[in-house]
Amino acid sequence: MSSPRKTTPSPISSPTAPLTVRTISTQEHRDFVESRPWASFLQTPAWAEVKPEWRAESVGWSRDGVLCGAGLVLLRQLPKVKRYLAYLPEGPVIDWDDPDLGAWLTPLTAHLRARGAFAVRMGPPVVTRRWSAEQVKAGIADDSVRRLGDVPPSERSQTGARVVSQLHELGWRPQAVEGGFAAGQPQFNFQIPLVDGDGSPRSEDDVLKGMNQLWRRNIKKAAKAGVEVTRGSHADLAAFHDLYAHTAERDHFTPRPRSYFETMYDALNGEADDRLTLWLAHHEDDLVAATISIRVGTHSWYSYGASSTEKREVRGSNAVQWEMIRDALRSGAHVYDLRGITETLDPDDPHMGLIQFKVGTGGEAVEYAGEWDLALNKPLYKAFELYLRRRSS
Amino acid sequence: MTLTLTVDGERWRRHLLEVVGRNPGIVPVAKGNGYGFGVGRLARRTQWLSEHLEPSAPPVDLLAVGTYSEVADVATRFHGDVLVLTPWRPRGAAEDAPSTVAARLVHTVSRLDDLVELTDRDPGARFVLEQLTSMRRHGMTRRELEEAVGVVAQRRLRGLVGVAQHLPLRAGSHVGEVTRLLNDVVATGATTRTVLVSHLTPDELARLRASHPDFTIRPRIGTDLWLGDRGALRVTATVLDVHALERGETFGYRGRSAPKGGHLVVVSGGTAHGIGLEAPTGDQSLRSRAATIARGGLDAVGFVRSPFSLDGKQRLFAEPPHMQASMLFLPQGARVPQVGEDVEVRVRFTATHFDRVDVK
């Protein structure tokens, strides 16, 4: 028998040159994202235009002259000093399966340090745990369960765990997320898989069957009432924003200005056709719901939504969601992402309504590796943390 | 004429059942001097515990010993599996275990080479893989563990019982470290979700179980189980002789002279029992270090505080303890005990050998 050490997978070290990081052009960055199955829309170069209060830079990893990774870095200046927090939201786009993440991250942080960064923050787009809708529902019904983590997951991802282990080893620190909605991107999301385990696309019928009875009934009800869902154009952003501002008032959140959505629309669609879609649900002549969806490759997100207080009974919200899901299926997406949920499964928590709405679509709750910081300048990083704490208290 | 550990049996057994009830999946530890009771007695008690569980409780089916030479002491008294905490090495020690017990043994494997060697010799061997913790005594790093998991998969080994963690004693919480170690287990691709872990408080254990409901976390408990209710345990020596002592009179092996008048009280219990041998407590506080220095100072000029108490007052050693007896100094004015009286003794159970253990 041969020695098992030879046949066990050993860490894959580059057979050729090491990875290097440099600034890349918007076009190179865009082409790289297009060459990948998907990336977070927060990692597209267009996203930089949506965040004008941050300076932005596209960085790329090369090995033997071939671009093999990319990231959108947002740089925010520390008050009074010419030092920056470098932030890669839901990124970077690299091979997170690589057992030697240090080979990727070390040149990145060296590059950013040279650019004046005192710390790097990133959110590896890597799933660590999954829970089925049934498990989440059972958790909500169980009085002893308070948080999603109290429910045994359907899967713990080895890749995700390995990323977490390596980040600890490399000196990165996870950002505390109390309840799930931190300052950054949500760690817990709800998603509908649009392909089966073997990768073949699911049918509309199959997805519909995965929904709970209330969702199916509401979708049917909307169709029967004659709700019509159409794609909007830039000109319809005004109508969307009116309804969105109305929703914000009703649901007590602070609305973003109309210009924000106009910038987003132009930037994302300027980068790729139908990256961002505005959806309008009309009943007779009334706009009853309006949403924005975003798609990059095989990943489709439900991003913003608004609904009228009048005519709730025609179920415009369900109709527009169903149309977005169908569109995602038609365009070959693998995932329909309803984005953040909080970790709580406490029936008394005000976020429960939102979670139950999302859980009703079937699908699964997923946990990502979360956001991680690497301090490059410890005193400045400490000062920055202090500044954030003061600002939030 | 003995150093005796007297156990309030009913209270002790009640405490043991309570601890087992509070710690489902417990792996009792019986090693070394058996925490003063002896390893054999603890094995018998573990068997008793396994037969007196709540019907719904997970079984007490695993007993941990420290070394292979301790296996024989427990194997005939406890009928479940026996985990050896000292990591298996390719030579020597493992052969101290009787071959008849082989099927009930669970080895601790802390190096990849040992896993290969052990399963070369016995492909059916059962084992836990030990993770390296912040204690850094034995155990595998994440990458080593990943390789070991690769060997388990490649050789289709069926003997993997779980992973083991030996945590340091610590004032702060272990939750962060164990959470990272559990994540490392997932990262290696190991299929096992059973973890044997020491030194968790009930609160830490509850929090880890809540955040890892798909894992089976089994606490390894020794001290808190056997010695957790000190009120059930009483240690006594016997007064063997009493002599009046004038100021300036000489006495003892070393011919010391008495600094003042009083009585010399000779009691059972000496270095052979562990009396007067100080096991380091690891207490690094300024106060305890100051106390050590103060004791040293006393030693230089006169008498050292002994662990023996008469009428509730700790008495001084008249000279360093002998092998099986100790001489105490009783100053003028104190009640003079009778020969044959019991004397209370404070001991470190893990470093004391009792002549008798009476479980009432």
Side-chain angles (χ1 to χ4, degrees):
Chain A
M1 190 175 180
S2 68
S3 162
R5 297 188 86 168
K6 293 196 183 88
T7 45
T8 43
S10 59
I12 301 156
S13 55
S14 160
T16 52
L19 288 154
T20 56
V21 168
R22 63 179 166 91
T23 307
I24 57 173
S25 70
T26 303
Q27 189 60 49
E28 280 178 291
H29 188 178
R30 191 181 298 171
D31 292 345
F32 181 78
V33 169
E34 291 302 325
S35 75
R36 304 275 302 185
W38 74 281
S40 167
F41 65 90
L42 303 176
Q43 281 294 302
T44 61
W47 191 250
E49 294 170 49
V50 186
K51 296 283 158 188
E53 69 276 21
W54 295 71
R55 250 183 55 199
E57 186 190 334
S58 293
V59 295
W61 280 259
S62 305
R63 178 174 271 156
D64 282 334
V66 180
L67 198 65
C68 52
L72 177 70
V73 185
L74 300 173
L75 295 154
R76 182 152 232 176
Q77 197 183 334
L78 208 60
K80 292 179 194 148
V81 240
K82 273 218 165 314
R83 284 285 183 275
Y84 302 86
L85 171 70
Y87 180 38
L88 296 95
E90 295 185 358
V93 185
I94 58 172
D95 179 10
W96 291 99
D97 276 319
D98 192 330
D100 184 11
L101 282 182
W104 293 84
L105 297 176
T106 308
L108 170 71
T109 53
H111 175 85
L112 294 173
R113 190 201 300 267
R115 308 288 286 178
F118 68 91
V120 185
R121 174 171 295 176
M122 65 176 182
V126 177
V127 171
T128 45
R129 285 184 286 180
R130 297 177 190 276
W131 295 263
S132 70
E134 286 67 37
Q135 288 174 310
V136 178
K137 269 184 271 182
I140 296 170
D142 185 341
D143 281 344
S144 68
V145 168
R146 281 278 169 270
R147 287 141 35 110
L148 200 50
D150 298 345
V151 181
S154 61
E155 185 203 337
R156 279 185 196 267
S157 152
Q158 185 185 356
T159 297
R162 200 150 64 170
V163 167
V164 167
S165 292
Q166 290 193 75
L167 291 180
H168 276 298
E169 288 160 9
L170 293 167
W172 294 73
R173 292 290 163 257
Q175 293 311 290
V177 239
E178 206 46 62
F181 273 134
Q185 299 304 320
Q187 187 166 4
F188 293 90
N189 288 269
F190 204 85
Q191 300 178 342
I192 308 174
L194 299 180
V195 289
D196 285 331
D198 62 1
S200 58
R202 295 173 67 193
S203 66
E204 277 183 24
D205 247 16
D206 190 36
V207 175
L208 199 58
K209 267 191 213 133
M211 294 184 173
N212 69 13
Q213 212 182 8
L214 185 67
W215 261 90
R216 292 200 301 265
R217 205 162 51 211
N218 285 339
I219 289 169
K220 237 181 254 167
K221 212 185 249 179
K224 212 166 165 193
V227 172
E228 240 187 291
V229 181
T230 54
R231 284 166 186 263
S233 66
H234 189 284
D236 295 310
L237 281 172
F240 161 79
H241 196 265
D242 285 348
L243 193 61
Y244 166 76
H246 168 80
T247 307
E249 196 178 341
R250 183 188 67 218
D251 296 347
H252 311 290
F253 63 86
T254 313
R256 292 183 180 279
R258 195 166 107 193
S259 59
Y260 180 82
F261 294 99
E262 288 172 341
T263 307
M264 198 192 326
Y265 188 99
D266 293 340
L268 295 189
N269 282 334
E271 188 169 86
D273 291 340
D274 71 10
R275 175 142 293 168
L276 181 151
T277 308
L278 175 63
W279 299 91
L280 306 164
H282 282 97
H283 181 255
E284 287 153 8
D285 285 336
D286 299 316
L287 183 63
V288 289
T291 54
I292 286 170
S293 69
I294 299 172
R295 187 169 58 79
V296 180
T298 57
H299 206 106
S300 186
W301 291 267
Y302 158 52
S303 189
Y304 283 94
S307 63
S308 65
T309 309
E310 307 289 301
K311 292 195 172 180
R312 305 278 284 178
E313 71 285 356
V314 303
R315 313 312 313 187
S317 293
N318 300 90
V320 76
Q321 283 291 343
W322 177 231
E323 193 51 38
M324 285 193 289
I325 294 165
R326 290 175 67 199
D327 183 64
L329 274 168
R330 281 194 299 267
S331 58
H334 291 184
V335 176
Y336 181 76
D337 194 328
L338 293 123
R339 288 194 68 81
I341 55 172
T342 55
E343 204 195 346
T344 179
L345 293 182
D346 183 346
D348 298 329
D349 191 287
H351 289 112
M352 269 319 290
L354 181 71
I355 294 173
Q356 271 166 324
F357 176 80
K358 292 181 179 180
V359 171
T361 62
E364 58 191 16
V366 301
E367 178 199 46
Y368 280 91
E371 299 205 316
W372 294 70
D373 281 11
L374 182 72
L376 301 177
N377 178 324
K378 293 232 162 73
L380 274 183
Y381 183 72
K382 279 226 158 67
F384 165 71
E385 281 185 312
L386 198 68
Y387 162 76
L388 285 188
R389 227 175 297 139
R390 283 221 187 105
R391 213 179 52 166
S392 63
S393 65
Chain B
M1 313 300 118
T2 49
L3 187 69
T4 306
L5 167 60
T6 308
V7 183
D8 178 342
E10 201 192 313
R11 181 171 166 176
W12 189 53
R13 287 188 291 271
R14 199 167 57 233
H15 161 77
L16 298 180
L17 285 170
E18 251 172 47
V19 172
V20 170
R22 269 203 311 272
N23 294 281
I26 188 173
V27 179
V29 178
K31 62 178 178 185
N33 71 340
Y35 299 84
F37 298 92
V39 165
R41 179 177 280 103
L42 297 186
R44 231 178 356 249
R45 188 52 57 188
T46 304
Q47 181 62 32
W48 178 86
L49 277 169
S50 76
E51 290 160 6
H52 287 77
L53 293 169
E54 293 289 317
S56 61
V60 174
D61 54 3
L62 187 60
L63 172 66
V65 295
T67 63
Y68 285 93
S69 50
E70 288 163 3
V71 171
D73 293 338
V74 304
T76 52
R77 298 174 169 100
F78 171 69
H79 304 147
D81 293 337
V82 179
L83 168 71
V84 182
L85 296 172
T86 301
W88 188 88
R89 291 288 183 260
R91 63 192 80 76
E95 281 140 33
D96 295 348
S99 60
T100 48
V101 197
R104 285 161 59 202
L105 273 188
V106 178
H107 306 277
T108 297
V109 173
S110 68
R111 302 189 311 164
L112 184 68
D113 289 348
D114 293 347
L115 175 62
V116 172
E117 179 86 30
L118 172 66
T119 54
D120 272 350
R121 294 185 191 188
D122 177 7
R126 290 192 303 152
F127 56 91
V128 293
L129 295 174
E130 182 162 5
Q131 285 181 286
L132 190 66
T133 68
S134 59
M135 184 147 97
R136 304 203 156 256
R137 188 170 61 183
H138 309 298
M140 291 183 265
T141 63
R142 178 177 63 81
R143 281 174 199 271
E144 287 164 353
L145 187 65
E146 187 167 330
E147 285 187 69
V149 166
V151 170
V152 170
Q154 195 248 345
R155 295 192 162 192
R156 304 214 174 110
L157 299 176
R158 296 177 169 275
L160 177 60
V161 170
V163 294
Q165 302 168 358
H166 209 120
L167 299 169
L169 293 165
R170 184 187 294 167
S173 168
H174 286 109
V175 171
E177 177 167 9
V178 176
T179 301
R180 279 186 60 178
L181 291 166
L182 294 181
N183 180 73
D184 285 351
V185 173
V186 179
T188 62
T191 49
T192 184
R193 290 290 182 264
T194 299
V195 182
L196 282 72
V197 57
S198 64
H199 298 131
L200 291 178
T201 66
D203 176 57
E204 288 171 340
L205 192 58
R207 282 169 61 196
L208 287 161
R209 283 189 166 140
S211 60
H212 295 79
D214 48 334
F215 276 78
T216 302
I217 301 177
R218 301 192 65 173
R220 278 198 318 260
I221 305 180
T223 306
D224 288 350
L225 176 65
W226 308 118
L227 303 174
D229 184 2
R230 290 296 166 101
L233 312 174
R234 189 164 165 258
V235 180
T236 50
T238 313
V239 174
L240 301 175
D241 251 316
V242 181
H243 309 288
L245 204 60
E246 296 286 319
R247 182 165 182 272
E249 242 184 305
T250 60
F251 64 90
Y253 271 129
R254 291 163 180 80
R256 281 186 166 191
S257 63
K260 50 189 173 177
H263 283 84
L264 208 53
V265 180
V266 185
V267 294
S268 60
T271 53
H273 302 93
I275 298 290
L277 301 181
E278 217 170 329
T281 60
D283 185 353
Q284 290 295 310
S285 71
L286 204 58
R287 195 191 140 109
S288 84
R289 285 161 65 188
T292 304
I293 293 165
R295 277 202 301 275
L298 265 177
D299 195 21
V301 297
F303 298 152
V304 178
R305 196 137 66 111
S306 84
F308 298 90
S309 327
L310 284 164
D311 298 326
K313 194 163 166 31
Q314 244 181 308
R315 289 304 176 189
L316 303 176
F317 276 125
E319 72 167 0
H322 308 160
M323 197 188 282
Q324 290 183 312
S326 296
M327 291 173 114
L328 310 178
F329 178 74
L330 194 65
Q332 219 100 58
R335 184 187 70 85
V336 180
Q338 301 289 309
V339 169
E341 258 187 55
D342 278 352
V343 177
E344 300 271 344
V345 195
R346 272 177 46 186
V347 297
R348 272 198 99 187
F349 287 82
T350 52
T352 305
H353 168 77
F354 297 104
D355 298 312
R356 252 174 59 191
V357 179
D358 275 352
V359 183
K360 303 268 180 198

